[in-house]
Amino acid sequence: MLNERQKQQVRAIDIWKGFFLLFIPLFGIALFVLLTFYFSRTTAAHHIILSGENERISLQQKNMASDLDSVVGDLRFLASDRHLQEITNADAGRFSELNTDLAQEYLKYSSAKKMYDQIRFLDISGMEVVRVNFNSGSPDIVAPSKLQNKKGRYYFDDTLALGSKEIFISPFDLNVEQGQIEKPLKPMIRFGMPVFDSQGEKTGIVLLNYFGEIMLRRFHDQDKFSEGVASLLNRYGYYLHNDDHEMEWGFMYTGQKKSITFGNEHPDAWSKIIIEDKGQFGNSEGLFTFATVYPLSIGFKTSTDNGSSLGKSSVLLEQKAYFWKLVSFVPNAVLYKENTSLKFLLEGGLLGFAVLIGFGSWKISAGRVLRRLAQARRDILLADLELAHQQLKESQSQLLQNEKMASVGQLAAGVAHEINNPMGFIAGNLRTLQKYADRLGNFITAQKAALSAGAGHDASELNALEKKLKIGYLLEDTQDLINESLDGAERVQVIVKNLKTFSRVDQNLTQTVDLHECLDSTINIVWNELKYKVELEKDYGDLPLITCQPQQLSQVFMNLLINGSHAIVEKGRMKIVTSADADSVYVAISDDGCGIEEDHLKRIFEPFFTTKEVGKGTGLGLSMVFDIIKSHHGEISVKSVPEEGTTFTIKLPIENETL
């Protein structure tokens, strides 16, 4: 028999037993949930840093390649300047005129681009013929008395030694003047290209001193979003850019600074980075993400330099031997900083579990409901998006058909004229044939009378009637009239067939077609628009059959042909050139009309943008051309010179399985 004290002890034991039976499993569940949360968050945070660094390095790599392509494009443009074709062989008067024009062009280019410290043309002796200095934003033309001979400078000698279309790119270093590094520091890359006259003789070089600071500033701006420290290294591991500027350009100096390299700072990491193009790895120091930029394209050259702007280069480097390394370093302290904060969160969660278990259950339930609601909303949004996409496709199809019908409407008068011409002479021929039929009827009646009279009939009367009615000529001319009428009927049939094909609503029908037939059909439709002022030349290459939607391509060709015709004021020439390579076909449509201003070239494919007068253009033609070519997984580009003409070039894949 238990006394009161023993009963109290038993009740206490039961309470503790029940408490632990509830607390232990619930605490275990909470511990499991919090640990799972901890590891998933740390893993996600780690993954975000890894993918973020990869994306930033990749973006910086693409931006640098884009910057270099832009400079190379400028160099090719300047090296092809028409003034350079004759300046070196011109007489004194003509030389002065060409020199002045060339200097003015370089001055305008320097003012517009704001990215070149110097723009120069040097003759084959190394003498500067024209030089424009940027002068901190106030470009000017250097006086002839101050022009210098650069023969013996590595960048001149190396560039002059190149062949046609080859380009020299110097090492990325600091500008040196009179043997001293220019202050403030001026990072520089020199781009050079030889110039040839019309006979293929080398006449000199064009040289651009590119402000490397532009590229480095852009690199630095993107580095702001990095979790770690981003560096730009040359192939020896020297810093071209680092957050600590004292570590930069060590190879340009002597003494202790010359030993400051990425390889000396991070030897284990450098041993991996130098042998791979790109990658990401971690070690005891932290996370390293890297990529390689190859400034040289095929046919480009660079030199190792010789430590001085004077003298010959040590060696010319090919494409893969000249590179920069983009490296992002995230120390472990930054990489795992999320872990420390989550540890405090885990400890706090465990300590507050006893009093917050109910609230936690509610939060879990609320979280599930919120997730279900979010999923339902997502499904609704996806359904709405799919509906909007379908409506957009239908609207685009209708808009294309409307534009096609508008084009046919604009050409209606011309097409009617093309049909009226053959129909006119067909009608005339039929009237003539009617008269011939009457004569033949009279002659046949006379023949029947002669046959009825028998042998006593005088045949001379029948012969006289045959001559009078010109039966021989009539029979001969009848065949000509029939042939001429058949030819006219075929012309009308071709025009109607072309119009019917062009105007079909089922424009999304994918077929394997001959692109030349598509072009010729479209030319027949618009011919009346062209023939009175355009001399059309066709230079067709050998094209394979391609998979496409021919009705849509007909709209493309019509818009380009009509636009080219409108660009010609009175009389002019248009040319269609086709060619093919292993994977693609190319169609180039050119005119020698008024051309397109450079400011407008960037916008010509925008919907509703037009340079025509109000009421004379919808601004949708070239926008539709662009959309159709893109839907065919192709490309369209335009080159235009005001007052000289415009060329649109279309590239289409031969096989188009996903069309």
Side-chain angles (χ1 to χ4, degrees):
M1 191 81 175
L2 297 175
N3 57 31
E4 190 64 28
R5 182 179 176 84
Q6 289 174 327
K7 289 181 180 180
Q8 290 179 352
Q9 289 177 343
V10 171
R11 283 196 296 270
I13 291 172
D14 290 339
I15 291 171
W16 281 106
K17 187 183 292 185
F19 168 77
F20 283 114
L21 286 174
L22 288 172
F23 179 79
I24 290 174
L26 289 175
F27 184 82
I29 293 172
L31 180 62
F32 174 78
V33 170
L34 288 174
L35 285 175
T36 302
F37 171 75
Y38 169 77
F39 286 115
S40 65
R41 281 292 301 270
T42 54
T43 301
H46 192 67
H47 177 73
I48 289 172
I49 293 177
L50 265 61
S51 60
E53 295 305 303
N54 258 328
E55 289 175 4
R56 275 184 282 274
I57 286 294
S58 178
L59 179 61
Q60 288 172 333
Q61 183 186 34
K62 291 178 181 177
N63 287 340
M64 284 193 173
S66 175
D67 290 342
L68 293 170
D69 288 344
S70 176
V71 178
V72 169
D74 289 345
L75 181 64
R76 292 187 189 278
F77 174 77
L78 293 173
S80 64
D81 191 289
R82 58 186 179 83
H83 297 94
L84 298 179
Q85 300 295 319
E86 53 177 314
I87 190 170
T88 54
N89 297 321
D91 56 37
R94 181 61 176 157
F95 177 86
S96 176
E97 179 184 347
L98 292 170
N99 185 279
T100 299
D101 291 346
L102 186 63
Q104 288 298 324
E105 286 190 14
Y106 284 5
L107 182 64
K108 292 177 182 177
Y109 215 78
S110 178
S111 299
K113 290 290 186 176
K114 297 181 172 46
M115 54 193 288
Y116 302 114
D117 186 45
Q118 291 182 344
I119 301 177
R120 291 180 279 180
F121 171 62
L122 300 85
D123 63 22
I124 57 175
S125 71
M127 188 64 195
E128 295 176 330
V129 179
V130 174
R131 185 172 90 227
V132 172
N133 291 339
F134 188 66
N135 284 337
S136 301
S138 301
D140 69 345
I141 301 170
V142 176
S145 61
K146 295 184 179 180
L147 297 176
Q148 302 175 9
N149 192 303
K150 299 298 181 179
K151 185 175 179 61
R153 302 293 179 100
Y154 75 91
Y155 51 80
F156 171 77
D157 292 345
D158 290 347
T159 304
L160 190 64
L162 298 179
S164 175
K165 298 183 180 179
E166 290 187 319
I167 289 177
F168 173 80
I169 302 179
S170 76
F172 196 172
D173 55 20
L174 298 176
N175 198 45
V176 176
E177 293 292 342
Q178 299 179 353
Q180 298 294 322
I181 296 175
E182 185 176 352
K183 295 293 182 70
L185 300 182
K186 189 183 287 185
M188 195 72 63
I189 308 176
R190 296 176 177 86
F191 292 75
M193 185 174 185
V195 176
F196 296 82
D197 62 17
S198 57
Q199 281 73 43
E201 296 294 327
K202 195 176 297 181
T203 60
I205 70 168
V206 172
L207 199 66
L208 300 178
N209 286 16
Y210 171 65
F211 284 125
E213 183 63 29
I214 296 175
M215 184 186 297
L216 295 180
R217 191 183 307 117
R218 190 174 181 185
F219 180 87
H220 175 73
D221 291 342
Q222 293 168 348
D223 183 28
K224 295 176 182 177
F225 303 101
S226 175
E227 293 289 340
V229 178
S231 301
L232 178 63
L233 314 172
N234 68 10
R235 70 194 189 108
Y236 301 109
Y238 283 103
Y239 291 94
L240 304 179
H241 173 79
N242 188 269
D243 286 352
D244 183 359
H245 297 313
E246 293 299 320
M247 301 178 68
E248 298 173 343
W249 309 107
F251 63 95
M252 298 291 296
Y253 297 90
T254 58
Q256 185 177 359
K257 191 167 184 178
K258 197 172 185 67
S259 65
I260 301 176
T261 67
F262 186 89
N264 290 335
E265 296 288 325
H266 309 282
D268 292 341
W270 181 245
S271 65
K272 295 181 180 180
I273 292 172
I274 192 64
I275 62 175
E276 299 288 341
D277 274 355
K278 62 186 299 184
Q280 189 175 60
F281 62 89
N283 61 15
S284 59
E285 296 180 272
L287 175 70
F288 293 88
T289 308
F290 66 94
T292 307
V293 175
Y294 292 99
L296 304 181
S297 298
I298 296 175
F300 291 12
K301 306 285 185 180
T302 190
S303 68
T304 58
D305 199 357
N306 60 359
S308 167
S309 61
L310 297 172
K312 295 184 177 180
S313 303
S314 301
V315 64
L316 282 178
L317 302 180
E318 299 294 340
Q319 182 185 12
K320 289 291 184 179
Y322 180 27
F323 57 83
W324 304 325
K325 291 287 184 178
L326 301 165
V327 181
S328 169
F329 169 54
V330 182
N332 282 330
V334 177
L335 187 62
Y336 298 109
K337 66 180 179 180
E338 185 78 6
N339 297 29
T340 303
S341 62
L342 285 175
K343 283 181 182 179
F344 288 112
L345 181 62
L346 176 63
E347 292 170 356
L350 290 173
L351 290 174
F353 166 72
V355 294
L356 297 176
I357 186 64
F359 178 73
S361 300
W362 176 83
K363 288 287 289 183
I364 292 173
S365 177
R368 289 175 178 173
V369 171
L370 288 174
R371 283 195 294 272
R372 285 197 296 269
L373 287 174
Q375 182 64 37
R377 289 172 183 167
R378 178 176 175 272
D379 293 341
I380 293 172
L381 287 174
L382 287 175
D384 290 344
L385 184 60
E386 180 64 26
L387 178 61
H389 180 254
Q390 185 62 34
Q391 290 174 343
L392 181 61
K393 288 178 64 177
E394 292 174 359
S395 298
Q396 184 183 30
S397 177
Q398 185 61 42
L399 188 61
L400 181 60
Q401 185 65 19
N402 291 345
E403 178 71 11
K404 185 181 292 185
M405 291 299 100
S407 300
V408 173
Q410 292 175 2
L411 298 171
V415 171
H417 179 72
E418 289 295 310
I419 293 176
N420 278 339
N421 280 342
M423 289 303 297
F425 64 72
I426 288 173
N429 289 347
L430 289 174
R431 284 190 290 269
T432 302
L433 287 172
Q434 186 179 33
K435 294 178 182 178
Y436 287 178
D438 291 340
R439 292 186 188 180
L440 285 171
N442 293 336
F443 185 68
I444 290 171
T445 300
Q447 281 184 324
K448 287 181 177 179
L451 290 173
S452 299
H457 187 271
D458 188 359
S460 60
E461 292 181 5
L462 195 59
N463 292 334
L465 180 61
E466 180 181 359
K467 290 181 180 180
K468 178 181 178 182
L469 294 177
K470 300 180 179 179
I471 298 301
Y473 169 76
L474 182 148
L475 293 174
E476 181 181 347
D477 193 42
T478 296
Q479 188 61 46
D480 291 339
L481 291 176
I482 291 173
N483 290 338
E484 189 178 79
S485 298
L486 287 173
D487 179 66
E490 288 177 0
R491 286 171 56 186
V492 173
Q493 187 178 25
V494 168
I495 293 171
V496 173
K497 178 183 176 183
N498 291 336
L499 277 174
K500 182 179 178 182
T501 300
F502 178 78
S503 304
R504 286 178 61 179
V505 177
D506 58 338
Q507 55 188 298
N508 293 327
L509 182 63
T510 301
Q511 302 176 26
T512 300
V513 301
D514 182 349
L515 206 58
H516 289 157
E517 292 182 0
C518 190
L519 277 165
D520 290 338
S521 174
T522 307
I523 291 170
N524 287 338
I525 294 174
V526 303
W527 182 239
N528 199 70
E529 183 79 12
L530 304 179
K531 66 181 182 180
Y532 295 108
K533 63 177 181 179
V534 173
E535 180 183 340
L536 181 62
E537 178 184 351
K538 294 191 291 187
D539 184 4
Y540 287 174
D542 292 330
L543 297 188
L545 299 179
I546 71 167
T547 304
C548 67
Q549 294 172 358
Q551 285 75 34
Q552 291 194 359
L553 291 185
S554 293
Q555 180 71 47
V556 169
F557 299 144
M558 172 177 279
N559 285 357
L560 295 181
L561 287 168
I562 292 177
N563 283 357
S565 171
H566 289 171
I568 297 172
V569 179
E570 294 181 355
K571 294 284 187 179
R573 293 168 55 86
M574 293 184 67
K575 186 174 183 179
I576 303 175
V577 180
T578 64
S579 60
D581 57 24
D583 302 314
S584 305
V585 297
Y586 302 85
V587 179
I589 299 178
S590 305
D591 66 76
D592 60 0
C594 60
I596 304 172
E597 297 293 336
E598 185 175 356
D599 292 342
H600 293 161
L601 280 176
K602 300 175 182 178
R603 301 188 59 197
I604 59 173
F605 295 116
E606 294 179 7
F608 305 109
F609 176 77
T610 179
T611 58
K612 298 179 181 178
E613 299 177 8
V614 176
K616 291 190 177 181
T618 64
L620 291 174
L622 288 179
S623 173
M624 285 190 177
V625 166
F626 183 84
D627 290 341
I628 291 172
I629 296 303
K630 283 298 180 184
S631 71
H632 279 71
H633 310 294
E635 300 173 7
I636 181 168
S637 60
V638 57
K639 293 182 180 179
S640 184
V641 178
E643 306 304 327
E644 293 187 15
T646 303
T647 298
F648 285 88
T649 302
I650 297 170
K651 177 183 177 182
L652 294 169
I654 296 173
E655 298 294 335
N656 219 333
E657 297 179 359
T658 60
L659 185 62

